[in-house]
């Protein structure tokens, strides 16, 4: 089955002019079961670990906001594409477009671990 037909798809990204890698750092998912809150937090950890110390510093508040979104989504039983958040950023950063994105393409996402099917 191709990733386009998987019912649960999305991506988390760290982007900005200070990241030279095309498309920034990202972690995508395409799977048969809902993404849990723990998986979502782990995905954010994965892309944060790819950042240099200065890139992490530029996105400290953005990562905190993204993690809060995942935790709040879990408290609601998960969210779908209709709850697509805007980019998470800190307007006081030196790099104006430094941000963290969560893209929910399809399916219920960030469900509590005990709700996973």
């Amino acid at each position: 089955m191709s990733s386009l037909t998987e019912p649960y798809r999305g991506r988390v990204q760290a982007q900005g002019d200070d990241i030279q890698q095309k498309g920034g750092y990202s972690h995508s998912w395409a799977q048969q079961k809902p993404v849990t809150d723990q998986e979502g937090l782990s995905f954010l950890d994965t892309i944060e670990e790819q950042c240099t110390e200065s890139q992490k510093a530029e996105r400290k508040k953005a990562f905190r906001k993204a993690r809060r979104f995942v935790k709040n989504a879990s408290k609601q039983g998960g969210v779908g594409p209709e709850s697509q958040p805007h980019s998470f950023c800190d307007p006081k950063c030196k790099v104006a477009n430094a941000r963290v994105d969560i893209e929910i393409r399809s399916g219920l996402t960030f469900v509590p671990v005990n709700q996973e099917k």
Side-chain angles (χ1 to χ4, degrees), residues 22-102:
K22 185 176 178 173
Y25 306 123
S26 71
H27 181 90
S28 300
W29 67 86
Q31 57 193 50
Q32 286 292 312
K33 61 181 182 61
V35 172
T36 67
D37 51 354
Q38 288 182 352
E39 288 174 312
L41 294 172
S42 176
F43 298 162
L44 288 168
D45 290 344
T46 298
I47 63 168
E48 186 173 27
E49 289 168 4
Q50 294 177 50
C51 294
T52 64
E53 291 305 314
S54 64
Q55 291 166 343
K56 288 178 189 178
E58 286 293 305
R59 291 164 185 79
K60 184 176 181 176
K61 188 179 254 185
F63 275 110
R64 188 170 50 241
K65 289 177 180 179
R67 287 185 176 94
R68 186 174 342 140
F69 176 83
V70 171
K71 291 173 185 175
N72 287 338
S74 175
K75 290 177 186 175
Q76 298 173 36
V79 295
E82 69 282 352
S83 298
Q84 180 68 45
H86 294 287
S87 294
F88 301 100
C89 58
D90 180 356
K92 296 179 183 177
C93 285
K94 294 175 187 169
V95 179
N97 64 349
R99 66 190 188 277
V100 174
D101 298 328
I102 296 177

Side-chain angles (χ1 to χ4, degrees), residues 6-27:
E6 296 291 344
Y8 303 97
R9 294 181 290 116
R11 173 172 58 179
V12 294
Q13 295 178 283
Q15 295 190 0
D17 287 342
D18 60 335
I19 297 177
Q20 300 305 312
Q21 181 172 315
K22 185 176 178 173
Y25 306 123
S26 71
H27 181 90

